[in-house]
Amino acid sequence: MTPLQGCLLLSALLFAVGFAGAVSRRNAILALIGIELMLNAANLNFIAFWRYGEPDGDAAGLMFVVFAIAVAAAEAAVGLALIIAIYRHRRTTNLDQMNELKG
Amino acid sequence: MAAAAAMTLRHLVHCALAMAVCFVGLAAIYLQLNAQFVGFAQILVYVGAVAILIVFAILLTRSGEVRNESILAPGWIPGILAAVGVFAVLAWAVLNSLALPSGANPAPEVTVRELGDALMTRYIIPLEVIGLLLTAALIGAVVIALRQGEDAE
């Protein structure tokens, strides 16, 4: 097994764990953490392919990861703000009780 | 890895700490793969900012009465099965793919200076767009988190 395959397998494991957490936990914050784990799995793939793939000379993989980290930070901020707003309104972070569109 | 712990622990603060440990491990892997800048950015952004943000959210939304009920959503069995299926398909594809590069290339050397040069020349438009997106997202987050509080008063 080459190192690239090792990285890809680790990334697949990370994605699967994040996916399982995002769909199977009750708490909204835990779902958000699962989404972050999935984004990081994608980043790990970018880095691995940048490291072990054909050299391209302009570091496109690194650039993509930098932008992905920025987008993930923005997404985490907005997601947590939404969770806090819903919590103030409904007094819960349980995903099963957030079943109304109209507050 | 600590990711599994982050998803399985019962106590929310422990989950956040396990997530931070997992991100530190990821940053170490990035450093091992010769991506110094991304590794340190990972530590700064995730361990420094996102973990703190999540801990704050957990503490703000802490409610003590949900200790005894199940931590799992009702449809968790199909969820876990779907995740295992995703991992199985991905692992099969990775292990059997013929299109993967052999990995025999020399490690690419990219200094932070080169990254900065590329950001200022070739990737200037994405840089501006990401700055605008971050500003809009943070202002939106503040507005969302504030307005409900004013209504409640």
Side-chain angles (χ1 to χ4, degrees):
Chain A
M1 190 166 75
T2 63
L4 174 60
Q5 281 179 326
C7 280
L8 294 186
L9 276 183
L10 179 64
S11 157
L13 184 64
L14 209 58
F15 185 89
V17 170
F19 181 71
V23 296
S24 66
R25 287 297 294 259
R26 254 175 205 274
N27 198 295
I29 297 176
L30 264 298
L32 211 62
I33 291 179
I35 292 171
E36 294 288 329
L37 284 180
M38 288 195 275
L39 276 165
N40 271 287
N43 284 352
L44 181 57
N45 264 2
F46 276 120
I47 294 279
F49 276 113
W50 166 77
R51 166 67 178 80
Y52 293 111
E54 296 295 323
D56 58 349
D58 63 349
L62 283 187
M63 284 300 163
F64 213 108
V65 172
V66 170
F67 288 126
I69 286 178
V71 173
E75 172 257 332
V78 175
L80 288 171
L82 278 175
I83 289 174
I84 289 176
I86 293 174
Y87 177 76
R88 284 206 179 123
H89 198 61
R90 304 282 308 273
R91 291 281 138 197
T92 181
T93 55
N94 192 329
L95 283 174
D96 298 328
Q97 293 169 18
M98 298 179 192
N99 48 11
E100 294 173 349
L101 284 180
K102 208 165 107 180
Chain B
M1 288 265 295
M7 284 296 107
T8 51
L9 287 178
R10 189 174 186 87
H11 204 285
L12 274 180
V13 179
H14 295 174
C15 295
L17 291 182
M19 183 201 71
V21 172
C22 168
F23 287 155
V24 170
L26 261 176
I29 293 176
Y30 291 164
L31 291 181
Q32 243 179 6
L33 292 176
N34 249 11
Q36 283 94 357
F37 179 69
V38 175
F40 289 121
Q42 167 94 1
I43 290 181
L44 280 180
V45 172
Y46 278 105
V47 184
V50 174
I52 300 295
L53 211 61
I54 285 180
V55 168
F56 263 102
I58 288 171
L59 295 183
L60 277 178
T61 61
R62 162 113 73 184
S63 49
E65 73 274 14
V66 289
R67 281 286 170 266
N68 48 2
E69 72 178 15
S70 168
I71 59 172
L72 294 169
W76 66 277
I77 294 178
I80 299 286
L81 285 183
V84 171
V86 165
F87 175 67
V89 170
L90 282 177
W92 174 82
V94 165
L95 290 178
N96 290 320
S97 170
L98 300 176
L100 286 179
S102 62
N105 295 315
E109 289 289 335
V110 175
T111 62
V112 181
R113 181 189 188 90
E114 288 170 12
L115 274 184
D117 283 343
L119 268 183
M120 278 300 134
T121 55
R122 183 170 174 191
Y123 298 98
I124 184 72
I125 299 293
L127 186 72
E128 301 286 339
V129 170
I130 209 78
L132 195 65
L133 173 76
L134 269 177
T135 312
L138 292 183
I139 293 176
V142 169
V143 168
I144 288 172
L146 269 188
R147 192 192 296 140
Q148 300 290 69
E150 287 170 1
D151 286 347
E153 282 170 4

